[in-house]
Amino acid sequence: MNKVILMGRLTRDPEVRYSQGAEPLAIARYTLAVDRRGRRDASGNDQTADFIPCVAFGRAGEFAEKYLRQGTKMVVTGRIQTGSYTNKDGNKVYTTEVIVEDQEFAESKASSDNSGYNTQDRPAPGNASADGFMSIPEGIENDLPFK
């Protein structure tokens, strides 16, 4: 079984391209910085990160283009894909990337705003309040299907 689950922050805005053809397919590439705990780096810090390249196709790619920005904390589920190619110098280069099957936000917009990351370009949901939840109109308590 080839299954990967990652949680980390985007290192920069996704790079999105569209395939050529009758129905263009979105292809979004981004890198997640995933904390590696329990190891010390050269300066003695307890926490370092792995930078994992991710590729999202189709609707997942369109979602990445529309909503993901640098610093966004995400949970990504997918599979590892390896490959290789020969560069212009004639050297063989090996690649490893995660093919995204599912991606979710790992924190609310308000939490990400408080963490110091720049999210001002991210679109705001329709009727969301400052905490990221939709406000419930007054007097609707009797219409709710649960009590």
Side-chain angles (χ1 to χ4, degrees), residues 40-51:
R40 291 183 183 268
D41 63 8
S43 63
N45 292 331
D46 287 333
Q47 199 167 346
T48 58
D50 291 310
F51 298 91

Side-chain angles (χ1 to χ4, degrees), residues 37-130:
R37 298 173 193 261
R39 299 232 173 139
R40 291 183 183 268
D41 63 8
S43 63
N45 292 331
D46 287 333
Q47 199 167 346
T48 58
D50 291 310
F51 298 91
I52 308 200
C54 299
V55 182
F57 293 95
R59 291 182 62 149
E62 292 169 7
F63 178 87
E65 179 179 36
K66 189 171 183 180
Y67 296 107
L68 304 189
R69 299 289 178 261
Q70 179 179 354
T72 304
K73 191 172 189 178
M74 299 294 298
V75 174
V76 171
T77 306
R79 62 183 168 83
I80 293 179
Q81 180 172 294
T82 60
S84 65
Y85 64 93
T86 303
N87 67 12
K88 63 182 177 183
D89 299 329
N91 298 324
K92 192 162 194 170
V93 177
Y94 295 93
T95 62
T96 303
E97 55 195 11
V98 172
I99 305 302
V100 175
E101 295 169 356
D102 188 39
Q103 54 194 355
E104 305 176 16
F105 295 107
E107 66 184 359
S108 69
K109 183 178 182 317
S111 295
S112 65
D113 288 346
N114 292 336
S115 67
Y117 291 96
N118 182 8
T119 57
Q120 66 187 10
D121 296 331
R122 191 181 305 158
N127 294 325
S129 63

Side-chain angles (χ1 to χ4, degrees), residues 124-146:
N127 294 325
S129 63
D131 61 2
F133 292 98
M134 188 171 149
S135 58
I136 298 175
E138 294 295 324
I140 196 167
E141 290 86 14
N142 297 332
D143 295 336
L144 294 176
F146 52 87

